[in-house]
Amino acid sequence: MTTAAPSGDADVSRAAARRIACAVVAAEVRRWRGNGQTLAEPNDWSDVLAIGDDGLGLDSMEQLGALGTLAETFCLDDALLGREPPRTVGDWIDWIMRGQASGDGRMTVRTSGSTGSPKPCSHAIADLLGEAAFLATQFSDRRRVVALVPAHHLYGIIWTALLPAALGVPVVARALGTPLDLIAGDLVVAVPDQWRAILRLTRALPADVVGVSSAGPLDGRLAADLLAAGLARLVDIYGSSETSGIAMRDLPATAYALLPRWQLVPSGHDDANDAWQLRDDRGGRYDLPDHIERIGERSLRPIGRRDGAVQVGGNNVWPMRIADLLRTIDGVADAAVRLHIDGRLKAFVVPHDDRDREKLSASIEQAIAERLASPERPKTIRFGPALPRDAMGKLCDWT
């Protein structure tokens, strides 16, 4: 039986809007600059902070870009701007709050682009607030949210902006490599790689600290070690940029329980591994990000990623399969493949430390020529010590 989520407030709170807006702008400015120029930590941006030379230091083009980014994220219109261009962070937030009152109530995020070009995903704000309201009933005893993830991805938006507002508790930002200063009653929001680092950096966790993880598979052994180190509870969230949260599990359980707005319905596909789709409470249908095993009416277990094909020269090719092939080459520790802006594939290869780069490159070129069809062959290969990942721990683009 489906349990309805609490309705919550109809609008995003000002504090939550500020956290999301500052994270979105900071991420975009860093992407635009791409040269290591420092930018103040977005969690420290107050309403009175100037956005120009005497504050954030955004030039005129960056300020226009920030407006465009905020307009896309919060579905805003220039008719809602004041008679003067925004001069402070508070002016940005005022614009967003006016949009809350008169807009269509949607928020747009972009996928990480880990299986192709990043794409926009639009969500009804009511759905996101409803998800946060339901989660608040599951974590009603938490007294503070500790954010290790930014709020420009959906995971961070829900868990470090909307959920704290629904709970009525403060949110504090922390970064690994500095003291976490955890206390009883904390809810720590992180991704698997961060949890792995926390386990190595922390000798013992305080009592009554709860953790949540998403944005990638959480290894069962890692979860067991975190619980053994003193974590009172560890919750793993299954979802995507297209759907937001789909299901959750309390470790060490392996099955995920669906969140209230979702149902599993037959997909109508002949493939037994692709037998199920999601249906939301409005009747909309969505593909799951993985092939799943259905467990009863309200639970599932992911059993393998969907194929993620892209088109190269009119041919379907599978970047993940090509990356798997590259990993089989002697001397390759890890690899990633994605679509280049020119429409061909490109690869990023992490070599074993003891491998001669020129010899490994020759081996890769030979394997590509012998084992891949022309559209499948990466046209550029970059080497590096680790795959490029964003602040959420997801694979990101490279140049």
Side-chain angles (χ1 to χ4, degrees):
M1 179 177 176
T2 301
T3 302
S7 60
D9 294 331
D11 297 323
V12 176
S13 72
R14 186 178 182 90
R18 183 191 300 109
R19 177 167 171 79
I20 298 165
C22 294
V24 166
V25 170
E28 284 298 287
V29 171
R30 291 186 182 112
R31 185 178 67 84
W32 298 330
R33 291 178 176 178
N35 57 2
Q37 277 186 268
T38 59
L39 190 68
E41 170 58 47
N43 301 293
D44 297 332
W45 299 1
S46 68
D47 270 13
V48 299
L49 180 64
I51 62 179
D53 290 338
D54 50 350
L56 291 178
L58 304 190
D59 63 29
S60 59
M61 293 301 295
E62 289 173 336
Q63 290 181 40
L64 287 175
L67 288 179
T69 296
L70 293 173
E72 181 184 67
T73 300
F74 292 95
C75 298
L76 301 173
D77 188 273
D78 65 352
L80 298 172
L81 288 167
R83 302 181 74 85
E84 295 290 331
R87 303 298 184 193
T88 66
V89 170
D91 291 340
W92 284 340
I93 311 308
D94 289 342
W95 184 35
I96 293 168
M97 301 312 291
R98 288 194 293 271
Q100 290 281 295
S102 61
D104 65 357
R106 301 195 71 80
M107 190 179 297
T108 298
V109 297
R110 287 190 172 273
T111 64
S112 65
S114 57
T115 58
S117 298
K119 64 178 181 178
C121 302
S122 180
H123 296 269
I125 288 177
D127 289 340
L128 303 182
L129 290 170
E131 182 177 332
F134 168 73
L135 294 172
T137 69
Q138 308 301 299
F139 298 90
S140 59
D141 60 343
R142 295 301 89 193
R143 298 191 290 275
R144 187 175 71 164
V145 171
V146 179
L148 273 73
V149 301
H152 63 278
H153 291 287
L154 209 46
Y155 176 41
I157 288 171
I158 294 289
W159 287 86
T160 74
L162 302 185
L163 177 60
L167 288 171
V169 302
V171 54
V172 295
R174 295 285 189 264
L176 293 177
T178 65
L180 296 182
D181 293 328
L182 300 179
I183 58 176
D186 278 349
L187 174 64
V188 182
V189 182
V191 299
D193 283 347
Q194 292 170 330
W195 282 117
R196 193 170 291 108
I198 289 171
L199 185 62
R200 299 184 68 183
L201 291 169
T202 307
R203 299 280 73 81
L205 292 164
D208 193 27
V209 171
V210 171
V212 63
S213 183
S214 191
L218 185 65
D219 179 76
R221 176 61 183 272
L222 172 60
D225 289 344
L226 285 163
L227 292 169
L231 205 59
R233 180 185 177 196
L234 181 56
V235 178
D236 187 21
I237 304 300
Y238 178 61
S240 71
S241 298
E242 292 85 354
T243 60
S244 190
I246 295 171
M248 58 189 286
R249 61 173 176 150
D250 267 82
L251 278 300
T254 60
Y256 293 79
L258 288 172
L259 299 187
R261 71 178 282 219
W262 298 112
Q263 288 182 305
L264 289 173
V265 295
S267 66
H269 298 156
D270 293 334
D271 186 350
N273 287 328
D274 201 18
W276 300 102
Q277 283 185 314
L278 289 169
R279 184 173 67 196
D280 66 15
D281 48 15
R282 297 187 184 92
R285 285 179 174 249
Y286 300 80
D287 287 332
L288 287 146
D290 297 85
H291 301 301
I292 65 146
E293 175 190 358
R294 181 173 181 259
I295 304 170
E297 290 293 320
R298 303 285 307 160
S299 296
L300 61 86
R301 183 182 295 116
I303 57 175
R305 293 292 300 179
R306 299 173 70 88
D307 61 15
V310 298
Q311 282 212 330
V312 175
N315 299 278
N316 284 334
V317 298
W318 286 262
M320 286 183 284
R321 297 182 188 177
I322 298 165
D324 288 342
L325 182 148
L326 293 176
R327 294 187 194 103
T328 67
I329 298 171
D330 188 31
V332 174
D334 204 357
V337 176
R338 63 181 295 156
L339 197 63
H340 194 279
I341 192 171
D342 65 2
R344 301 301 300 267
L345 296 181
K346 61 180 180 179
F348 192 105
V349 171
V350 179
H352 286 296
D353 292 339
D354 59 347
R355 291 292 170 166
D356 178 85
R357 188 68 54 84
E358 291 186 4
K359 291 181 179 178
L360 178 58
S361 181
S363 296
I364 292 172
E365 293 291 346
Q366 181 178 354
I368 287 173
E370 292 177 350
R371 301 167 64 180
L372 295 175
S374 178
E376 298 176 307
R377 297 170 188 164
K379 303 309 280 187
T380 61
I381 300 175
R382 178 177 168 184
F383 293 88
L387 295 181
R389 298 187 181 277
D390 62 21
M392 299 289 292
K394 288 198 171 189
L395 187 68
C396 62
D397 202 2
W398 60 89
T399 55

